Amino acid sequence: MSQTIYLKIKRKDEPNGESYWEEFEMPYRPHMNVISCLMEIQKNPMNAKGKKTAPVVWDAACLEEVCGSCTMVINGRVRQACSALIDNLSQPIVIEPMSKFPCIRDLRVDRSKMFESLKKVKAWVPIDGTHNLGPGPRMNPKDQQIAYELSRCMTCGCCLEACPQVNPHSDFIGAAPISQARLFNMHPTGKMYADERIDALMDKGGLGDCGNAQMCVEVCPKEIPLTTSIAEMEWEATKRMFKKLLWG
Ligand code: SF4
Ligand code: SF4
Ligand code: FES
């Protein structure tokens, strides 16, 4: 391993500004990851030409691949910067913001459209107002296991970034909200909104826009079975369509 780390970062000074590349170098230390490199730049904002520059802006919170906020494209692959170890990356390390979300500045993007989609599919259990409801309803262990896997989604955006159907010409909400609708439709209390969730998924930008390219499942850092979720919800949507045709 070289004793110097070389980074090439795609930057933008303001939301409507032009993107440009800036290169950085720093001494190698064992166990560094992309976030620790960005912190080094923050401490000493000097580019590879030795010129003082503005510190690079990025988001991070948990630093243990749980919150999803540090998601960016590193050497062409969308992933979390906090778990991207320098020892495992070829250099120069090329770092870009996700392209499917509006860039606010440098590596910081606005993921609110994912949270809006979660609202659209009512991705919550409807319990109102009290903490004294006693133990929750029981679920069988098989469903619990599936629900656990689905609940690991951290709304990081990797699945949207990788999906060819999520693009400026489409309203597709992407795989994560579809999978979350499945999670809450499985819940004994969450089921209360099951039909509304399916209706939302049958609407514009929903299941009909998925092209089944399966890129989402390949990039999900939590290994959520996204294509199974999409298939399950497509089946539920078909049943709902027939029900509506027969009974209105
Ligand atoms: S299956 Fe393909 S089109 Fe559908 S959400 Fe996943 S990546 Fe996008
Ligand atoms: S489904 Fe996976 S890739 Fe998509 S937002 Fe959730 S954790 Fe990220
Ligand atoms: S900082 Fe939370 S996932 Fe990286």
Side-chain angles (χ1 to χ4, degrees):
M1 168 63 66
S2 148
Q3 289 309 297
T4 305
I5 299 172
Y6 300 95
L7 302 176
K8 192 174 166 191
I9 301 179
K10 194 176 196 177
R11 308 198 60 178
K12 198 182 210 184
D13 297 338
E14 52 186 5
N16 296 322
E18 286 292 313
S19 296
Y20 61 95
W21 291 94
E22 193 162 31
E23 294 181 26
F24 296 87
E25 286 179 16
M26 67 197 63
Y28 169 84
R29 279 186 282 109
H31 315 303
M32 282 179 92
N33 60 36
V34 168
I35 294 288
S36 49
C37 290
L38 294 171
M39 285 169 148
E40 288 297 317
I41 298 173
Q42 198 175 43
K43 275 195 272 173
N44 179 24
M46 190 89 82
N47 67 23
K49 291 182 181 146
K51 200 170 155 238
K52 197 139 182 67
T53 186
V56 177
V57 172
W58 79 95
D59 277 323
C62 69
L63 299 182
E64 51 184 359
E65 211 182 74
V66 173
C67 74
S69 65
C70 68
T71 305
M72 50 189 81
V73 180
I74 300 169
N75 283 354
R77 187 187 158 92
V78 65
R79 56 183 299 181
Q80 281 65 55
C82 64
S83 54
L85 296 176
I86 300 305
D87 287 349
N88 299 337
L89 295 169
S90 61
Q91 297 201 30
I93 300 166
V94 181
I95 309 174
E96 300 165 74
M98 282 194 283
S99 63
K100 304 284 174 86
F101 301 89
C103 178
I104 298 171
R105 184 166 178 177
D106 293 337
L107 303 170
R108 172 176 292 160
V109 298
D110 176 2
R111 286 177 298 141
S112 15
K113 72 173 174 187
M114 284 191 87
F115 299 100
E116 289 307 317
S117 300
L118 290 176
K119 281 195 228 161
K120 204 166 161 188
V121 301
K122 295 190 190 312
W124 60 78
V125 173
I127 295 179
D128 219 2
T130 177
H131 298 292
N132 299 320
L133 294 174
R138 286 173 175 264
M139 273 175 102
N140 75 51
K142 201 170 139 254
D143 285 348
Q144 268 177 10
Q145 184 55 39
I146 298 171
Y148 172 69
E149 281 179 34
L150 305 180
S151 72
R152 285 161 40 92
C153 176
M154 52 183 175
T155 325
C156 65
C158 287
C159 54
L160 270 71
E161 178 68 15
C163 175
Q165 299 297 106
V166 175
N167 62 59
H169 312 292
S170 126
D171 294 317
F172 185 41
I173 58 173
I178 300 174
S179 190
Q180 290 302 291
R182 178 184 177 209
L183 168 65
F184 289 99
N185 276 13
M186 286 179 72
H187 189 277
T189 315
K191 267 188 178 50
M192 200 187 281
Y193 287 150
D195 285 348
E196 279 131 297
R197 291 195 189 98
I198 299 293
D199 286 344
L201 292 181
M202 289 164 78
D203 209 356
K204 203 163 162 260
L207 289 161
D209 286 352
C210 169
N212 262 311
Q214 314 214 348
M215 310 294 279
C216 50
V217 78
E218 279 172 31
V219 297
C220 176
K222 298 296 172 189
E223 297 178 359
I224 295 172
L226 293 169
T227 41
T228 311
S229 288
I230 293 167
E232 285 276 333
M233 295 320 265
E234 277 171 347
W235 172 232
E236 291 302 323
T238 308
K239 287 196 291 189
R240 176 114 180 101
M241 197 173 69
F242 278 117
K243 240 193 213 167
K244 278 181 165 177
L245 277 177
L246 290 173
W247 294 294

PDB file of all heavy atoms in Angstrom, residues 137-154:
ATOM      1  N   PRO A 137     -49.386  -7.061  18.891  1.00  0.00           N
ATOM      2  CA  PRO A 137     -49.925  -8.321  18.376  1.00  0.00           C
ATOM      3  C   PRO A 137     -48.802  -9.280  18.004  1.00  0.00           C
ATOM      4  O   PRO A 137     -47.699  -8.850  17.680  1.00  0.00           O
ATOM      5  CB  PRO A 137     -50.707  -7.875  17.135  1.00  0.00           C
ATOM      6  CG  PRO A 137     -50.193  -6.530  16.787  1.00  0.00           C
ATOM      7  CD  PRO A 137     -49.632  -5.925  18.014  1.00  0.00           C
ATOM      8  N   ARG A 138     -49.117 -10.583  18.067  1.00  0.00           N
ATOM      9  CA  ARG A 138     -48.082 -11.576  17.760  1.00  0.00           C
ATOM     10  C   ARG A 138     -47.934 -11.773  16.252  1.00  0.00           C
ATOM     11  O   ARG A 138     -48.888 -11.613  15.514  1.00  0.00           O
ATOM     12  CB  ARG A 138     -48.464 -12.922  18.386  1.00  0.00           C
ATOM     13  CG  ARG A 138     -48.261 -12.916  19.868  1.00  0.00           C
ATOM     14  CD  ARG A 138     -48.812 -14.187  20.484  1.00  0.00           C
ATOM     15  NE  ARG A 138     -48.477 -14.184  21.903  1.00  0.00           N
ATOM     16  CZ  ARG A 138     -47.414 -14.812  22.407  1.00  0.00           C
ATOM     17  NH1 ARG A 138     -46.609 -15.487  21.626  1.00  0.00           N
ATOM     18  NH2 ARG A 138     -47.163 -14.754  23.694  1.00  0.00           N
ATOM     19  N   MET A 139     -46.718 -12.129  15.851  1.00  0.00           N
ATOM     20  CA  MET A 139     -46.463 -12.488  14.447  1.00  0.00           C
ATOM     21  C   MET A 139     -45.799 -13.843  14.458  1.00  0.00           C
ATOM     22  O   MET A 139     -45.051 -14.151  15.384  1.00  0.00           O
ATOM     23  CB  MET A 139     -45.462 -11.500  13.821  1.00  0.00           C
ATOM     24  CG  MET A 139     -46.056 -10.264  13.229  1.00  0.00           C
ATOM     25  SD  MET A 139     -44.728  -9.162  12.685  1.00  0.00           S
ATOM     26  CE  MET A 139     -44.713  -9.447  10.938  1.00  0.00           C
ATOM     27  N   ASN A 140     -46.052 -14.655  13.418  1.00  0.00           N
ATOM     28  CA  ASN A 140     -45.371 -15.951  13.433  1.00  0.00           C
ATOM     29  C   ASN A 140     -43.883 -15.750  13.111  1.00  0.00           C
ATOM     30  O   ASN A 140     -43.511 -14.782  12.435  1.00  0.00           O
ATOM     31  CB  ASN A 140     -46.080 -16.969  12.536  1.00  0.00           C
ATOM     32  CG  ASN A 140     -45.832 -16.718  11.068  1.00  0.00           C
ATOM     33  OD1 ASN A 140     -44.690 -16.574  10.643  1.00  0.00           O
ATOM     34  ND2 ASN A 140     -46.905 -16.652  10.285  1.00  0.00           N
ATOM     35  N   PRO A 141     -43.035 -16.665  13.613  1.00  0.00           N
ATOM     36  CA  PRO A 141     -41.584 -16.458  13.490  1.00  0.00           C
ATOM     37  C   PRO A 141     -41.111 -16.304  12.045  1.00  0.00           C
ATOM     38  O   PRO A 141     -40.177 -15.552  11.779  1.00  0.00           O
ATOM     39  CB  PRO A 141     -40.990 -17.722  14.125  1.00  0.00           C
ATOM     40  CG  PRO A 141     -42.071 -18.244  15.015  1.00  0.00           C
ATOM     41  CD  PRO A 141     -43.373 -17.848  14.392  1.00  0.00           C
ATOM     42  N   LYS A 142     -41.776 -16.977  11.109  1.00  0.00           N
ATOM     43  CA  LYS A 142     -41.345 -16.869   9.703  1.00  0.00           C
ATOM     44  C   LYS A 142     -41.563 -15.425   9.206  1.00  0.00           C
ATOM     45  O   LYS A 142     -40.691 -14.831   8.589  1.00  0.00           O
ATOM     46  CB  LYS A 142     -42.148 -17.866   8.847  1.00  0.00           C
ATOM     47  CG  LYS A 142     -41.486 -18.199   7.552  1.00  0.00           C
ATOM     48  CD  LYS A 142     -42.180 -19.358   6.858  1.00  0.00           C
ATOM     49  CE  LYS A 142     -42.271 -19.072   5.379  1.00  0.00           C
ATOM     50  NZ  LYS A 142     -43.569 -18.703   4.891  1.00  0.00           N
ATOM     51  N   ASP A 143     -42.734 -14.875   9.510  1.00  0.00           N
ATOM     52  CA  ASP A 143     -43.007 -13.488   9.111  1.00  0.00           C
ATOM     53  C   ASP A 143     -42.096 -12.519   9.850  1.00  0.00           C
ATOM     54  O   ASP A 143     -41.648 -11.522   9.287  1.00  0.00           O
ATOM     55  CB  ASP A 143     -44.476 -13.119   9.401  1.00  0.00           C
ATOM     56  CG  ASP A 143     -45.401 -13.750   8.384  1.00  0.00           C
ATOM     57  OD1 ASP A 143     -44.909 -14.265   7.370  1.00  0.00           O
ATOM     58  OD2 ASP A 143     -46.628 -13.759   8.630  1.00  0.00           O
ATOM     59  N   GLN A 144     -41.844 -12.835  11.123  1.00  0.00           N
ATOM     60  CA  GLN A 144     -40.936 -11.973  11.910  1.00  0.00           C
ATOM     61  C   GLN A 144     -39.578 -11.878  11.233  1.00  0.00           C
ATOM     62  O   GLN A 144     -38.983 -10.810  11.138  1.00  0.00           O
ATOM     63  CB  GLN A 144     -40.712 -12.571  13.288  1.00  0.00           C
ATOM     64  CG  GLN A 144     -41.657 -12.078  14.340  1.00  0.00           C
ATOM     65  CD  GLN A 144     -41.408 -12.784  15.671  1.00  0.00           C
ATOM     66  OE1 GLN A 144     -40.426 -13.509  15.849  1.00  0.00           O
ATOM     67  NE2 GLN A 144     -42.318 -12.578  16.591  1.00  0.00           N
ATOM     68  N   GLN A 145     -39.099 -13.039  10.751  1.00  0.00           N
ATOM     69  CA  GLN A 145     -37.787 -13.089  10.114  1.00  0.00           C
ATOM     70  C   GLN A 145     -37.768 -12.203   8.850  1.00  0.00           C
ATOM     71  O   GLN A 145     -36.861 -11.401   8.635  1.00  0.00           O
ATOM     72  CB  GLN A 145     -37.460 -14.547   9.762  1.00  0.00           C
ATOM     73  CG  GLN A 145     -36.075 -14.778   9.177  1.00  0.00           C
ATOM     74  CD  GLN A 145     -34.959 -14.234  10.070  1.00  0.00           C
ATOM     75  OE1 GLN A 145     -35.026 -14.338  11.297  1.00  0.00           O
ATOM     76  NE2 GLN A 145     -33.957 -13.621   9.462  1.00  0.00           N
ATOM     77  N   ILE A 146     -38.844 -12.342   8.032  1.00  0.00           N
ATOM     78  CA  ILE A 146     -38.915 -11.531   6.800  1.00  0.00           C
ATOM     79  C   ILE A 146     -39.010 -10.048   7.178  1.00  0.00           C
ATOM     80  O   ILE A 146     -38.322  -9.200   6.626  1.00  0.00           O
ATOM     81  CB  ILE A 146     -40.128 -11.943   5.931  1.00  0.00           C
ATOM     82  CG1 ILE A 146     -39.991 -13.401   5.502  1.00  0.00           C
ATOM     83  CG2 ILE A 146     -40.267 -11.047   4.704  1.00  0.00           C
ATOM     84  CD1 ILE A 146     -41.214 -13.988   4.828  1.00  0.00           C
ATOM     85  N   ALA A 147     -39.871  -9.747   8.166  1.00  0.00           N
ATOM     86  CA  ALA A 147     -40.065  -8.344   8.569  1.00  0.00           C
ATOM     87  C   ALA A 147     -38.748  -7.762   9.078  1.00  0.00           C
ATOM     88  O   ALA A 147     -38.424  -6.606   8.807  1.00  0.00           O
ATOM     89  CB  ALA A 147     -41.148  -8.250   9.641  1.00  0.00           C
ATOM     90  N   TYR A 148     -37.974  -8.577   9.799  1.00  0.00           N
ATOM     91  CA  TYR A 148     -36.693  -8.088  10.312  1.00  0.00           C
ATOM     92  C   TYR A 148     -35.783  -7.680   9.147  1.00  0.00           C
ATOM     93  O   TYR A 148     -35.190  -6.602   9.147  1.00  0.00           O
ATOM     94  CB  TYR A 148     -36.017  -9.138  11.186  1.00  0.00           C
ATOM     95  CG  TYR A 148     -34.617  -8.720  11.544  1.00  0.00           C
ATOM     96  CD1 TYR A 148     -34.401  -7.641  12.403  1.00  0.00           C
ATOM     97  CD2 TYR A 148     -33.513  -9.345  10.976  1.00  0.00           C
ATOM     98  CE1 TYR A 148     -33.117  -7.197  12.680  1.00  0.00           C
ATOM     99  CE2 TYR A 148     -32.225  -8.916  11.248  1.00  0.00           C
ATOM    100  CZ  TYR A 148     -32.032  -7.848  12.107  1.00  0.00           C
ATOM    101  OH  TYR A 148     -30.764  -7.397  12.366  1.00  0.00           O
ATOM    102  N   GLU A 149     -35.711  -8.566   8.142  1.00  0.00           N
ATOM    103  CA  GLU A 149     -34.844  -8.262   6.981  1.00  0.00           C
ATOM    104  C   GLU A 149     -35.280  -6.955   6.321  1.00  0.00           C
ATOM    105  O   GLU A 149     -34.468  -6.096   5.996  1.00  0.00           O
ATOM    106  CB  GLU A 149     -34.944  -9.373   5.937  1.00  0.00           C
ATOM    107  CG  GLU A 149     -34.148 -10.599   6.262  1.00  0.00           C
ATOM    108  CD  GLU A 149     -34.310 -11.670   5.201  1.00  0.00           C
ATOM    109  OE1 GLU A 149     -34.447 -11.338   4.009  1.00  0.00           O
ATOM    110  OE2 GLU A 149     -34.340 -12.845   5.588  1.00  0.00           O
ATOM    111  N   LEU A 150     -36.598  -6.798   6.123  1.00  0.00           N
ATOM    112  CA  LEU A 150     -37.096  -5.602   5.439  1.00  0.00           C
ATOM    113  C   LEU A 150     -36.897  -4.348   6.284  1.00  0.00           C
ATOM    114  O   LEU A 150     -36.661  -3.259   5.758  1.00  0.00           O
ATOM    115  CB  LEU A 150     -38.584  -5.752   5.095  1.00  0.00           C
ATOM    116  CG  LEU A 150     -38.983  -6.980   4.269  1.00  0.00           C
ATOM    117  CD1 LEU A 150     -40.486  -6.970   4.017  1.00  0.00           C
ATOM    118  CD2 LEU A 150     -38.237  -7.030   2.942  1.00  0.00           C
ATOM    119  N   SER A 151     -36.965  -4.537   7.609  1.00  0.00           N
ATOM    120  CA  SER A 151     -36.879  -3.358   8.496  1.00  0.00           C
ATOM    121  C   SER A 151     -35.471  -2.781   8.553  1.00  0.00           C
ATOM    122  O   SER A 151     -35.254  -1.717   9.125  1.00  0.00           O
ATOM    123  CB  SER A 151     -37.335  -3.726   9.913  1.00  0.00           C
ATOM    124  OG  SER A 151     -36.348  -4.532  10.525  1.00  0.00           O
ATOM    125  N   ARG A 152     -34.501  -3.493   7.976  1.00  0.00           N
ATOM    126  CA  ARG A 152     -33.114  -2.996   8.014  1.00  0.00           C
ATOM    127  C   ARG A 152     -32.864  -1.857   7.022  1.00  0.00           C
ATOM    128  O   ARG A 152     -31.792  -1.266   7.004  1.00  0.00           O
ATOM    129  CB  ARG A 152     -32.151  -4.152   7.735  1.00  0.00           C
ATOM    130  CG  ARG A 152     -32.019  -5.067   8.946  1.00  0.00           C
ATOM    131  CD  ARG A 152     -31.461  -6.442   8.607  1.00  0.00           C
ATOM    132  NE  ARG A 152     -30.404  -6.453   7.639  1.00  0.00           N
ATOM    133  CZ  ARG A 152     -29.106  -6.392   7.909  1.00  0.00           C
ATOM    134  NH1 ARG A 152     -28.715  -6.308   9.147  1.00  0.00           N
ATOM    135  NH2 ARG A 152     -28.213  -6.423   6.945  1.00  0.00           N
ATOM    136  N   CYS A 153     -33.863  -1.524   6.200  1.00  0.00           N
ATOM    137  CA  CYS A 153     -33.689  -0.430   5.234  1.00  0.00           C
ATOM    138  C   CYS A 153     -33.356   0.868   5.965  1.00  0.00           C
ATOM    139  O   CYS A 153     -34.013   1.246   6.929  1.00  0.00           O
ATOM    140  CB  CYS A 153     -34.951  -0.243   4.403  1.00  0.00           C
ATOM    141  SG  CYS A 153     -34.822   1.173   3.291  1.00  0.00           S
ATOM    142  N   MET A 154     -32.307   1.572   5.480  1.00  0.00           N
ATOM    143  CA  MET A 154     -31.913   2.829   6.131  1.00  0.00           C
ATOM    144  C   MET A 154     -32.148   4.014   5.197  1.00  0.00           C
ATOM    145  O   MET A 154     -31.560   5.075   5.389  1.00  0.00           O
ATOM    146  CB  MET A 154     -30.456   2.748   6.599  1.00  0.00           C
ATOM    147  CG  MET A 154     -29.489   2.323   5.531  1.00  0.00           C
ATOM    148  SD  MET A 154     -27.826   2.159   6.183  1.00  0.00           S
ATOM    149  CE  MET A 154     -26.971   1.522   4.741  1.00  0.00           C
TER     150      MET A 154
END
